[in-house]
Amino acid sequence: MQISDILKRYNQGDRDFREINLSKSNLSGMNLSYANLSRSKLTEAHLAWSDLQRCFLLESDLRGAFLYGANLSFVKLKEALLLEADLTKADLQGAQLHKANLEGATLSGAVLNWVSLYMANLPGVNLCGANLEGINLRGANLEKANLNWTNLNGARLSGANLRGAKLYGIKLKGAFLNGLDLHGVNFSAMDLEETKMSGMKLYGSDFSGSNMQSAYMRRSVLDKANLKGVVLNQGQLKGAQFVQANLMKSDLSETDLRMADLSFTNLNLVNLRGADLSNANLHGAYLWGACLDGAIVKGANFTGANLRDADLSGIDLSDAILTGATMPDGKIHV
């Protein structure tokens, strides 16, 4: 079918162009909004600055297509092939790309807020600087993807594969990262307020200086992680593991640390005012000068911990285990 025939039919009100072959065609700047192009061949087609908003491109073949600056807002691209496609600066707001294959695609500067890329294949994709606010990337393959400077606030990334991905300068406020393995990643000085990070593997990661207020990190593993100076007040850390982690000078006030493992952790000068440490393991922890005013320590294990100069006012130590602990006055508890 010739492009002139398509335009004529489109101008007459026809929107059904399913299974047509437009490979290598020049459709730059054309308006085909609301058209149904499902299962069509658009390989290496030129679609720069074209208006394809709210189109149906289900299972379509767009391998190598040039979509620079195209309007693809709210388009349906479920199971579409977009390998090596150039989507630089394209507007994909609200688009549905469930199980789409974007391996090797370029999305630098693209608008991707509120896009659904559920279980999409995106290994090595370039998303540098993209707006991914609220994006659905659950179960997506982002191995070795370039996510530097992307806005992932409110994004859903649970179950995604981020092995080897570049994550420098990203925004993750309120994002869903539950269950991910991001051990050793640099999260320093980031805004992670209200981020969902439960069940994650974060051992050896660097969170120093980050804002993690009200973050959810239940049952996460943060052994030997650097959390120096973080704001984690009102966080949900029940059952989390911080063995030998550095939490020096951090704000953990009113934080839920029930059953958390803080053994041999550096908690010097930390603010634990009003925190719940019920049944927490603080064996061998360093709490020099820490503030535990009003903290709940029922069943907490302070065996061998150093509480020198710590503020223990307003707490009930009757049910805590203090064997061999260095008390605020420097005496060893027997």
Side-chain angles (χ1 to χ4, degrees):
M1 183 179 294
Q2 299 295 318
I3 295 175
S4 57
D5 296 329
I6 294 173
L7 285 175
K8 181 178 180 180
R9 285 174 52 185
Y10 185 87
N11 291 331
Q12 291 174 346
D14 191 357
R15 298 293 182 268
D16 191 353
F17 301 101
R18 285 175 288 180
E19 300 182 3
I20 61 172
N21 187 351
L22 292 169
S23 296
K24 299 184 179 181
S25 297
N26 186 358
L27 301 164
S28 299
M30 285 183 57
N31 177 15
L32 289 171
S33 56
Y34 294 88
N36 189 348
L37 294 158
S38 296
R39 294 182 296 280
S40 294
K41 279 191 171 293
L42 290 156
T43 53
E44 299 183 28
H46 284 252
L47 292 152
W49 304 111
S50 58
D51 187 354
L52 297 168
Q53 63 174 313
R54 298 187 184 276
C55 277
F56 287 83
L57 286 157
L58 307 176
E59 302 177 35
S60 291
D61 189 345
L62 288 144
R63 287 175 295 175
F66 186 60
L67 290 148
Y68 186 99
N71 184 355
L72 292 160
S73 56
F74 303 99
V75 73
K76 308 296 190 297
L77 282 158
K78 183 179 179 181
E79 298 185 37
L81 296 176
L82 287 152
L83 290 83
E84 305 294 337
D86 190 341
L87 290 147
T88 302
K89 295 186 179 181
D91 183 357
L92 281 149
Q93 178 176 276
Q96 295 181 17
L97 291 115
H98 300 184
K99 298 183 179 180
N101 192 338
L102 291 104
E103 185 172 356
T106 301
L107 288 142
S108 182
V111 178
L112 287 160
N113 50 312
W114 309 112
V115 168
S116 178
L117 282 159
Y118 174 69
M119 294 188 70
N121 190 33
L122 299 147
V125 71
N126 183 4
L127 288 160
C128 182
N131 181 3
L132 308 180
E133 183 174 0
I135 194 171
N136 182 359
L137 283 162
R138 289 183 299 132
N141 180 14
L142 289 156
E143 186 170 3
K144 297 182 179 179
N146 184 355
L147 295 167
N148 289 339
W149 303 108
T150 57
N151 177 6
L152 284 160
N153 289 341
R156 298 177 180 272
L157 287 152
S158 300
N161 175 12
L162 289 161
R163 284 193 297 272
K166 297 178 182 178
L167 302 168
Y168 184 77
I170 61 175
K171 297 179 181 179
L172 285 166
K173 182 177 179 179
F176 293 77
L177 304 170
N178 298 325
L180 295 184
D181 183 349
L182 294 175
H183 71 274
V185 172
N186 185 359
F187 293 97
S188 60
M190 283 190 186
D191 186 356
L192 297 166
E193 185 177 351
E194 297 183 357
T195 300
K196 283 63 174 182
M197 307 175 80
S198 294
M200 291 186 67
K201 294 179 181 178
L202 294 161
Y203 48 89
S205 296
D206 186 358
F207 290 90
S208 56
S210 290
N211 175 20
M212 303 174 74
Q213 183 177 6
S214 301
Y216 290 77
M217 303 182 79
R218 293 176 178 173
R219 302 177 307 283
S220 289
V221 179
L222 294 111
D223 295 349
K224 297 184 179 181
N226 183 8
L227 295 112
K228 183 178 179 180
V230 301
V231 177
L232 243 174
N233 61 305
Q234 299 180 351
Q236 301 293 321
L237 305 174
K238 182 180 179 181
Q241 190 170 307
F242 294 88
V243 179
Q244 296 184 353
N246 182 8
L247 282 151
M248 184 177 179
K249 295 184 179 180
S250 294
D251 184 358
L252 295 167
S253 56
E254 300 180 22
T255 294
D256 183 359
L257 286 158
R258 289 174 294 166
M259 296 181 282
D261 190 348
L262 294 152
S263 53
F264 303 101
T265 297
N266 183 353
L267 292 160
N268 291 334
L269 300 172
V270 75
N271 181 5
L272 285 160
R273 188 187 303 272
D276 192 344
L277 289 157
S278 299
N279 299 307
N281 181 13
L282 292 117
H283 180 203
Y286 303 90
L287 290 139
W288 174 78
C291 177
L292 287 92
D293 181 20
I296 302 170
V297 295
K298 184 176 181 180
N301 181 10
F302 288 94
T303 300
N306 188 343
L307 290 155
R308 187 70 181 259
D309 295 329
D311 180 1
L312 303 181
S313 58
I315 69 172
D316 183 1
L317 292 168
S318 60
D319 291 321
I321 302 169
L322 297 163
T323 306
T326 302
M327 302 309 288
D329 59 4
K331 295 181 179 178
I332 305 297
H333 193 279
V334 180

